[in-house]
């Protein structure tokens, strides 16, 4: 309802601005009406797609923080502007008023932000307050019930009333300001007395005789059951749930690139970028770099080195050589002012020109445009001692650039913190991959070519 209402408001704003800015009522001219209708449809479709992709949990929907509202609104504007820009690029349309689009987007941002502030509460109030609330009773350990307090508070806006808790730890519940209804053995009587229609178990049942009895009891009384999963608290790791055929599984993290469609999209983007680079740019840069090799550091054009790739499988990475021939040792990280680097080689490294031959690795499927940077085998072993989850980053293909690099974590890793920040960024990329993030990283890398960070050397 929120998304549909926002979409209708966006269309209304489009019509009003069109009437105020474009239409000449004096002459009766409705300039470019068909074209403007196309843009209005693009706006509506963009907002509906964004809304369908956004998390559908009530906790997110009723989020009250300004930061969330701004981020969500910015995401919606990104989809709208992206759709309009793409259409303009394809059609080279000159009929649409650019000032109209700019004014529309600016006002739309403010309108969507206000809608996020007002609509969820307004809709929930008028949808759920006119009917009897669902009466929820918590059953189980109080320490888990405490974790549900914020969630229960937001559920109250969606027509749920928390009656109290049934627990054998009455003292602990009282300390946490929970209303204690009684002990576990009184469950059947308490459910009937308080006319509960929802039971929330505060821990995963271990299928004792009592839990079987409780489930059968709720089924007999026509009471819904929710079971709070505390398994990730017991394991100490977050869990993701997924189904494959008739089987249900838990995994430690969500990996969007395990989805075949996402993997094909990423591969298609890799080829779409790498192929033109290899055909049109590499020949020119190879000639340019080769000239300076001849002048300052004669030797082979390309530098080949074994690196750890996906699943730690080794491959040979290709780069333009930036060091003098016969420098040792290979495993030593390059440092600022490194004497092994010839003068123009330092500039090649700073501007990332030396990385261009890696597009050949991308075409061959050994690398991707975006992903964790591949390290030397020796460095992998060294870094894995610093961070226990270091090798998780190898679950995706290594990349020419990555989230860590656009955040400025590149060059020599001097301290443990440098490794930790890079690995955190790599795992964040692995768990949150989406095409918009891919484009954001590619754009950030392009900007860094012209404005290299201080860590680039």
């Amino acid at each position: 309802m929120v998304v549909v209402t926002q979409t209708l408001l966006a269309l209304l704003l489009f019509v009003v601005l069109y009437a105020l800015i474009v239409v000449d009522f004096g002459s009766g001219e409705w300039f470019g009406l068909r074209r403007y209708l196309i843009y209005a449809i693009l706006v509506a479709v963009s907002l509906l797609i964004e809304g369908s992709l956004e998390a559908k949990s009530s906790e997110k929907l009723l989020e009250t923080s300004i930061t969330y509202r701004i981020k969500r609104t910015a995401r919606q504007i990104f989809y709208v502007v992206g759709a309009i820009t793409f259409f303009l690029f394809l059609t080279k349309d000159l009929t649409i008023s650019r000032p109209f689009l700019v004014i529309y987007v600016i006002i739309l941002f403010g309108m969507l932000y206000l809608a996020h502030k007002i609509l969820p509460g307004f809709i929930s109030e008028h949808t759920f307050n006119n009917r009897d609330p669902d009466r929820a009773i918590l059953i189980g350990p109080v320490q888990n019930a405490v974790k549900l307090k914020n969630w229960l508070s937001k559920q109250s806006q969606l027509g749920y009333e928390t009656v109290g808790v049934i627990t054998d730890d009455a003292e602990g519940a009282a300390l946490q300001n929970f209303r204690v209804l009684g002990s576990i053995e009184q469950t059947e009587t308490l459910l009937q007395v308080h006319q509960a229609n929802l039971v929330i178990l505060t821990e995963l049942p271990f299928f004792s005789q009592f839990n079987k009895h409780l489930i059968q009891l709720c089924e007999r009384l026509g009471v819904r059951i929710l079971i709070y999963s505390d398994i990730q608290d017991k394991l100490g790791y977050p869990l993701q749930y997924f189904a494959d055929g008739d089987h249900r599984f838990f995994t430690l993290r969500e990996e969007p690139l395990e989805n075949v469609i996402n993997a094909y999209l990423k591969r298609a983007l890799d080829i779409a970028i790498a192929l033109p680079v290899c055909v049109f740019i590499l020949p020119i840069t190879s000639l340019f770099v080769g000239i300076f090799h001849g002048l300052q550091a004669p030797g082979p054009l390309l530098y080949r080195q074994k690196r750890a790739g996906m699943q730690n499988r080794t491959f040979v990475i290709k780069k333009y050589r930036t060091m003098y021939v016969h420098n040792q040792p290979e495993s030593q990280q390059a440092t600022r002012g490194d004497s092994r680097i010839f003068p123009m080689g330092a500039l090649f490294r700073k501007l990332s020109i030396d990385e261009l031959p890696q597009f050949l690795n991308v075409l061959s499927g050994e690398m991707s445009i975006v992903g964790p940077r591949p390290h030397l085998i020796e460095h992998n072993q060294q870094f894995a001692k610093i961070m226990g989850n270091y090798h998780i980053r190898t679950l995706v293909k290594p990349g020419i650039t990555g989230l860590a690099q656009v955040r400025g974590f590149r060059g020599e890793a001097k301290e443990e913190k440098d490794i930790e920040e890079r690995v955190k960024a790599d795992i964040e990329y692995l768990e949150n991959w989406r095409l918009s993030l891919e484009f954001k990283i590619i754009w950030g890398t392009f900007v860094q070519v012209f404005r290299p960070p201080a860590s680039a050397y």
Side-chain angles (χ1 to χ4, degrees):
M1 291 176 70
V2 170
V3 171
V4 170
T5 305
Q6 284 184 320
T7 303
L8 292 174
L9 288 172
L11 289 174
L12 178 61
L13 174 64
F14 195 97
V15 171
V16 170
L17 280 182
Y18 174 75
L20 292 175
I21 297 176
V22 181
V23 177
D24 185 352
F25 289 103
S27 63
E29 287 289 338
W30 292 61
F31 297 103
L33 178 59
R34 289 184 179 178
R35 278 291 189 186
Y36 279 86
L37 283 175
I38 292 174
Y39 287 97
I41 292 170
L42 283 174
V43 170
V45 171
S46 300
L47 291 175
L48 291 173
I49 290 174
E50 189 279 337
S52 68
L53 295 176
E54 178 65 5
K56 299 177 182 64
S57 71
S58 56
E59 196 165 12
K60 278 285 187 185
L61 190 63
L62 295 167
E63 178 65 58
T64 58
S65 72
I66 295 175
T67 303
Y68 171 77
R69 290 174 186 153
I70 292 176
K71 286 176 66 176
R72 178 71 194 279
T73 305
R75 175 181 156 120
Q76 290 175 304
I77 293 296
F78 174 82
Y79 273 72
V80 170
V81 172
I84 291 174
T85 304
F86 184 67
F87 183 77
L88 284 171
F89 175 77
L90 287 180
T91 62
K92 305 295 189 293
D93 184 16
L94 298 176
T95 61
I96 190 82
S97 167
R98 269 53 174 182
F100 168 86
L101 290 177
V102 172
I103 294 170
Y104 175 73
V105 168
I106 292 172
I107 298 177
L108 181 64
F109 185 95
M111 189 193 72
L112 290 174
Y113 175 83
L114 288 175
H116 281 303
K117 183 177 181 180
I118 298 169
L119 281 178
F122 177 83
I123 291 174
S124 65
E125 180 181 350
H126 287 80
T127 302
F128 301 109
N129 283 4
N130 294 326
R131 66 174 177 83
D132 292 334
D134 287 326
R135 298 171 62 80
I137 290 180
L138 284 72
I139 301 178
V142 176
Q143 63 267 26
N144 286 345
V146 172
K147 299 172 187 174
L148 293 171
K149 266 191 172 182
N150 288 337
W151 180 80
L152 289 169
S153 174
K154 288 177 179 175
Q155 295 307 302
S156 67
Q157 299 178 56
L158 300 176
Y160 287 92
E161 175 192 347
T162 304
V163 179
V165 61
I166 298 175
T167 180
D168 289 332
D169 183 15
E171 184 178 345
L175 288 173
Q176 296 295 337
N177 297 318
F178 277 106
R179 179 189 175 193
V180 181
L181 304 178
S183 63
I184 298 291
E185 64 181 15
Q186 299 172 293
T187 297
E188 182 171 359
T189 302
L190 292 169
L191 291 181
Q192 292 174 320
V193 168
H194 292 284
Q195 299 179 331
N197 45 23
L198 175 66
V199 160
I200 302 174
L201 301 184
T202 61
E203 69 174 349
L204 282 173
F206 289 101
F207 305 105
S208 64
Q209 194 60 39
F210 168 77
N211 285 318
K212 289 180 181 178
H213 168 71
L214 177 60
I215 292 171
Q216 291 169 358
L217 171 64
C218 289
E219 291 282 289
R220 178 161 51 85
L221 296 177
V223 177
R224 289 191 181 92
I225 294 182
L226 289 182
I227 302 174
Y228 171 66
S229 174
D230 60 342
I231 189 171
Q232 60 186 30
D233 297 327
K234 289 182 167 66
L235 289 175
Y237 283 93
L239 291 177
Q240 298 293 329
Y241 171 86
F242 71 96
D244 190 356
D246 296 330
H247 305 287
R248 307 291 182 267
F249 298 93
F250 285 110
T251 181
L252 294 184
R253 55 183 45 82
E254 189 172 356
E255 297 178 54
L257 286 173
E258 282 295 283
N259 182 297
V260 176
I261 294 175
N262 289 341
Y264 274 119
L265 285 174
K266 181 173 172 62
R267 181 60 181 155
L269 180 62
D270 284 344
I271 294 173
I273 295 176
L275 190 58
V277 170
C278 292
V279 173
F280 299 110
I281 297 177
L282 274 184
I284 299 171
T285 54
S286 296
L287 178 62
F288 178 74
V289 172
I291 290 172
F292 282 98
H293 276 176
L295 293 174
Q296 296 184 349
L301 176 69
L302 296 180
Y303 173 66
R304 293 176 170 85
Q305 188 180 57
K306 283 188 178 181
R307 293 286 178 98
M310 190 173 181
Q311 299 287 317
N312 276 321
R313 292 189 288 268
T314 59
F315 73 99
V316 177
I317 196 171
K318 301 175 181 69
K319 303 175 74 173
Y320 286 131
R321 183 172 54 84
T322 58
M323 294 185 178
Y324 295 104
V325 179
H326 306 309
N327 63 83
Q328 295 294 334
E330 280 194 357
S331 60
Q332 180 182 332
Q333 295 186 66
T335 58
R336 189 180 297 277
D338 199 316
S339 60
R340 297 174 298 167
I341 302 174
F342 63 87
M344 276 301 291
L347 181 63
F348 295 155
R349 295 174 75 96
K350 190 174 185 67
L351 299 179
S352 300
I353 293 173
D354 62 318
E355 310 283 0
L356 287 174
Q358 289 169 48
F359 283 98
L360 295 170
N361 291 110
V362 173
L363 277 185
S364 66
E366 298 162 321
M367 292 179 65
S368 180
I369 303 293
V370 179
R373 285 295 295 158
H375 296 146
L376 284 168
I377 311 299
E378 297 90 331
H379 291 171
N380 260 16
Q381 295 168 350
Q382 176 187 339
F383 297 155
K385 294 176 183 177
I386 298 172
M387 288 196 72
N389 63 345
Y390 173 81
H391 288 300
I392 292 299
R393 66 196 295 278
T394 68
L395 294 179
V396 293
K397 281 184 186 178
I400 297 175
T401 185
L403 186 59
Q405 283 63 48
V406 297
R407 288 179 176 173
F409 303 117
R410 52 182 287 188
E412 181 185 9
K414 299 178 181 178
E415 304 174 358
E416 288 187 8
K417 185 180 178 182
D418 297 332
I419 299 300
E420 290 173 0
E421 293 297 335
R422 294 181 198 201
V423 173
K424 283 180 185 176
D426 291 337
I427 293 177
E428 181 182 336
Y429 170 78
L430 179 151
E431 293 179 343
N432 298 280
W433 183 91
R434 56 190 183 277
L435 270 181
S436 58
L437 178 61
E438 197 88 349
F439 285 118
K440 181 180 178 181
I441 293 171
I442 292 171
W443 173 252
T445 303
F446 182 74
V447 171
Q448 284 191 0
V449 170
F450 298 97
R451 288 190 301 175
S455 57
Y457 54 82

